[in-house]
Amino acid sequence: MNRLSILSFLVVLGGISALLAATAQSQFGAPKAFVNLQPTTPGTSQSGHANVSGTVRASQFVGGGAGLTNVNASQLAGLSASAFGQLSSSNLWTGANTFSNTGNIFSGNGTGLAGVNADLLDGLNSTAFLQAVPNPLTISGTSSSHIVRGTNSATTNGASGVSGYATGLTGTTYAVYGQNASSTGLGVFGYATSATGNAYGGQFLSDSATGRGVFGWAANASSANYGVYGLSAGLAGRGVYGQASNTSGSGFGGQFETEGTSGYGVAGFANAATGNTYAGFFSNASAAGTGVYGYTIGVYGMRGISTKQTGEAYGGHFRSSSTSGTGVFGENTSTTGFNFGGFFESPSSGGVGAYGRATSGVGGNYGVVGETYGSSGIGVGGYALSDSGSAWGGDFWTKSPNGTGVVGYASSTTGNNFGGQFLSDSSTGVGVSATGKASGVEGKSGAIGGRGVFGEATNTSGSGYGGRFESAGDTGRGVYAVATSTGAADVPYGVRGQASSATFGYGLYAVGDSGASGVKSFRIDHPFDPENKYLLHYSSESPFPQNFYNGNAVTDAQGKAWVDLPNYFEEINTNFKYILTVVDDGETATFVQAKIGRKIKNNRFLIMTSAPNVEVSWEVKADRNDNRIKANRPTDEREKHVSERGKFEHPEYYGLPKERGMDYQPATNRKAMPKKGRQLER
């Protein structure tokens, strides 16, 4: 067919279509019963229902398909209707729907689930699972062993057998809350069955800046219960172990507090009756660390108590293995007040408040060392606060045959310092009281002009003693002083006394007899060379104590002169002896006689001369007859005491060795006191 024929056919066909349309319109009134062919794409939207029994071909159908029924399964990839989920008008799945794709995601809390088939729960029935209701989470159920038991077999870090999370940001929430009503039960029990490794029966963590990794609370206020109780059966185990792993800051491995008025922040008990046990053991590896540090704003920074009634029990035992370490270190940082770096006390009648022991048998160690940096501080202070009895502020002793009970050392080479100073405020007290079989007090000084022993009574009134020494022995010496130097260039003194008062004082005064094995003299600066020489005058001796009186008298025109003696003369003297000498200054050839005209009577006597107006020098000597002499009349010969026989005052004058001397003292073999104080300087 040519092109013209085709065109003619289309025109005819179009006319037929128009005729049919016009006929349908005239018969049915509207074109709804027919499908109108559209000359162009997409065409005009048409309404109404098309019931086509034949084949309909189109490029697109638009619509929801809500009215589709009896859809041929062959048109759905060969699947039947049962292969698709059936969704009701309320969005509920009905029918048997199977979801096999593992990528399916289901959201919701499952509150609408009911009648769950046990086969879907690995064969477990509903009684095998926790039954919980919210606010608070309460776990119910019965079990002979565990209500909750979590088992973790994972080998990776961070896995948990049981995990609890409390997401509430306020209030007292619990991630895990365990409760047990049994008298011996456990609210929470953690058990690490591994016999090796760093396993934990329980581990608790807190990320809060002020949180608690573990918080234990025993709410009963009337019993000796435990907020936290740890138990270890290991030979070197820890009942409770706390560790602060932060390498900086002031973290605590453990912190314990008490609110009780007589409570203990930490109480340690070693209950074994034998063995080298410790109620508390603290160790510090830092070179500048502290094994135990106690801090308080009250009375006790740290307090140790031993209730054992007998034996060598310790309220506290502290040890340091460092060559320069400190077993116990107490520090009070307050710069004011009468505070204590350490305070020790004992209520026992024979107890010791503080006891220091240096157990090394060699070396210059110390039982107790006290230091002070104060300008008027005290290195060691001892106080006996009892108002009665013979209490001691300090008690020191040594068992060594060459030891020293107390050593005081002033290391400064200048100033008015003291190696030791002892004071007594009592009007009859004693600054120093020393008792010794050989020496009660021994003092040494290595300085030129130093003092081996220095005593000073600073009271400006009363009968104070710069030093007082006594001896109760039959042959004892209250004071025995020896100047051992024999150098000719020196002038040593066994005893030197000085009184600043020229009128009433005594440089040396003896209550009772005084004696000397040598000569007695007075010594003054030589009047002609006082800077380089002394002038000595010596005393006269007599086999019996005597007094003498002398003077000058001039007779009158009758050749008489009365001499008046002191009014106490006859009271203290007897057996009078007279010496008269005529004095003539004119070199005359006439000799004058003088005599005693009247003996002493009423404390006066008469001198008579053969010529008038004659000067006479007179002297009267008399034996002492005071009460002292009457009570104990001295003799010029005396037997030596038994302990003195065979000994000499000066054995060298008899050609004998010094060991035969009366008061010979063998050398003490004591070396100069070591300057230990320098070892303490830090």
Side-chain angles (χ1 to χ4, degrees):
M1 184 180 292
N2 56 24
R3 181 176 301 176
L4 180 59
S5 298
I6 296 174
L7 180 59
S8 299
F9 174 77
L10 292 175
V11 171
V12 174
L13 181 59
I16 294 172
S17 298
L19 178 59
L20 291 175
T23 302
Q25 183 173 7
S26 63
Q27 292 180 358
F28 302 102
K32 296 181 179 179
F34 297 92
V35 176
N36 297 324
L37 299 178
Q38 304 295 322
T40 59
T41 299
T44 302
S45 176
Q46 301 183 49
S47 61
H49 297 278
N51 188 350
V52 180
S53 61
T55 300
V56 178
R57 296 174 180 259
S59 62
Q60 182 178 1
F61 289 97
V62 179
L68 292 176
T69 60
N70 298 321
V71 178
N72 193 337
S74 62
Q75 304 301 317
L76 301 175
L79 299 176
S80 64
S82 62
F84 298 91
Q86 302 177 27
L87 187 64
S88 68
S89 60
S90 60
N91 292 327
L92 293 176
W93 290 102
T94 62
N97 299 301
T98 302
F99 303 93
S100 60
N101 192 335
T102 58
N104 292 324
I105 298 176
F106 297 93
S107 62
N109 55 15
T111 56
L113 292 176
V116 179
N117 191 334
D119 293 336
L120 300 179
L121 303 175
D122 293 334
L124 301 176
N125 57 33
S126 60
T127 60
F129 296 90
L130 300 178
Q131 303 174 27
V133 295
N135 298 323
L137 176 61
T138 302
I139 301 173
S140 63
T142 59
S143 173
S144 61
S145 57
H146 309 285
I147 294 177
V148 177
R149 177 170 182 173
T151 302
N152 175 27
S153 59
T155 59
T156 58
N157 294 330
S160 303
V162 175
S163 296
Y165 298 90
T167 59
L169 298 179
T170 60
T172 305
T173 61
Y174 302 92
V176 174
Y177 181 85
Q179 181 176 349
N180 192 302
S182 171
S183 60
T184 59
L186 302 174
V188 175
F189 178 75
Y191 180 38
T193 60
S194 175
T196 60
N198 192 22
Y200 299 94
Q203 184 177 27
F204 304 87
L205 306 174
S206 173
D207 290 333
S208 171
T210 59
R212 277 89 168 162
V214 173
F215 180 77
W217 182 19
N220 192 319
S222 61
S223 63
N225 48 20
Y226 302 92
V228 173
Y229 183 85
L231 179 66
S232 173
L235 295 178
R238 279 86 168 162
V240 174
Y241 178 79
Q243 180 182 16
S245 59
N246 197 326
T247 58
S248 61
S250 56
F252 298 94
Q255 180 172 350
F256 305 89
E257 302 178 3
T258 178
E259 303 292 340
T261 57
S262 59
Y264 301 94
V266 174
F269 300 92
N271 294 325
T274 59
N276 191 22
T277 60
Y278 300 93
F281 182 83
F282 302 88
S283 175
N284 191 301
S286 172
T290 303
V292 175
Y293 179 81
Y295 172 76
T296 182
I297 58 175
V299 179
Y300 301 101
M302 181 171 59
R303 187 178 186 184
I305 300 176
S306 174
T307 59
K308 190 169 187 279
Q309 301 297 316
T310 59
E312 193 177 51
Y314 299 94
H317 182 83
F318 307 91
R319 179 173 57 186
S320 173
S321 300
S322 172
T323 57
S324 59
T326 304
V328 176
F329 179 77
E331 180 181 12
N332 190 309
T333 59
S334 176
T335 57
T336 59
F338 187 65
N339 49 30
F340 301 93
F343 184 84
F344 305 88
E345 62 180 39
S346 171
S348 171
S349 59
V352 180
Y355 181 80
R357 177 169 58 183
T359 58
S360 175
V362 296
N365 48 16
Y366 300 90
V368 174
V369 171
E371 297 182 13
T372 179
Y373 294 95
S375 57
S376 58
I378 301 173
V380 175
Y383 302 91
L385 301 180
S386 176
D387 295 330
S388 60
S390 57
W392 290 301
D395 186 16
F396 306 90
W397 73 86
T398 177
K399 291 185 177 181
S400 173
N402 295 315
T404 304
V406 175
V407 174
Y409 176 57
S411 61
S412 176
T413 57
T414 60
N416 188 24
N417 51 24
F418 301 93
Q421 185 180 32
F422 303 88
L423 305 175
S424 174
D425 289 334
S426 173
S427 59
T428 59
V430 180
V432 175
S433 175
T435 303
K437 293 183 178 180
S439 301
V441 175
E442 180 176 345
K444 291 184 179 182
S445 173
I448 299 176
R451 297 163 176 85
V453 175
F454 177 78
E456 180 181 12
T458 59
N459 196 327
T460 56
S461 61
S463 57
Y465 299 94
R468 175 169 176 165
F469 305 89
E470 298 181 1
S471 174
D474 293 339
T475 60
R477 275 72 170 156
V479 174
Y480 180 76
V482 179
T484 58
S485 175
T486 58
D490 297 328
V491 185
Y493 302 94
V495 174
R496 178 185 172 96
Q498 179 178 344
S500 298
S501 174
T503 305
F504 301 103
Y506 297 93
L508 186 63
Y509 181 83
V511 179
D513 295 342
S514 63
S517 63
V519 297
K520 301 181 290 294
S521 66
F522 76 84
R523 186 184 72 178
I524 62 174
D525 295 326
H526 198 288
F528 294 155
D529 192 359
E531 293 184 353
N532 301 304
K533 291 183 179 181
Y534 292 115
L535 180 64
L536 281 73
H537 277 40
Y538 299 93
S539 301
S540 298
E541 283 80 24
S542 170
F544 191 86
Q546 296 190 60
N547 296 322
F548 69 89
Y549 306 82
N550 53 36
N552 294 316
V554 178
T555 58
D556 57 14
Q558 287 76 35
K560 296 180 179 181
W562 284 95
V563 176
D564 292 319
L565 297 170
N567 59 2
Y568 55 78
F569 178 85
E570 292 181 83
E571 183 68 22
I572 65 170
N573 292 292
T574 187
N575 191 19
F576 312 137
K577 281 81 69 176
Y578 306 89
I579 299 176
L580 299 176
T581 301
V582 174
V583 179
D584 182 7
D585 196 30
E587 297 185 8
T588 60
T590 303
F591 284 87
V592 178
Q593 293 180 336
K595 69 175 184 177
I596 299 298
R598 294 282 182 90
K599 291 184 178 182
I600 297 173
K601 186 177 182 180
N602 296 327
N603 299 316
R604 64 188 320 225
F605 67 93
L606 177 64
I607 297 176
M608 297 180 63
T609 57
S610 59
N613 303 319
V614 175
E615 182 180 0
V616 178
S617 290
W618 60 269
E619 182 176 71
V620 175
K621 292 184 177 181
D623 294 343
R624 276 183 58 181
N625 196 39
D626 53 71
N627 291 339
R628 164 69 176 82
I629 299 300
K630 293 176 182 178
N632 188 11
R633 184 175 179 83
T635 60
D636 54 341
E637 292 185 359
R638 183 178 300 176
E639 295 290 333
K640 286 185 178 182
H641 191 275
V642 175
S643 63
E644 296 176 335
R645 291 177 183 174
K647 298 180 181 179
F648 297 80
E649 293 285 357
H650 292 282
E652 64 274 17
Y653 299 157
Y654 295 88
L656 298 175
K658 60 183 179 180
E659 286 78 7
R660 299 288 299 277
M662 186 67 64
D663 288 296
Y664 170 74
Q665 296 289 332
T668 60
N669 295 324
R670 293 187 179 181
K671 299 180 181 179
M673 183 181 68
K675 296 182 178 181
K676 296 182 179 180
R678 298 186 182 276
Q679 299 177 7
L680 303 180
E681 296 177 359
R682 296 173 183 260

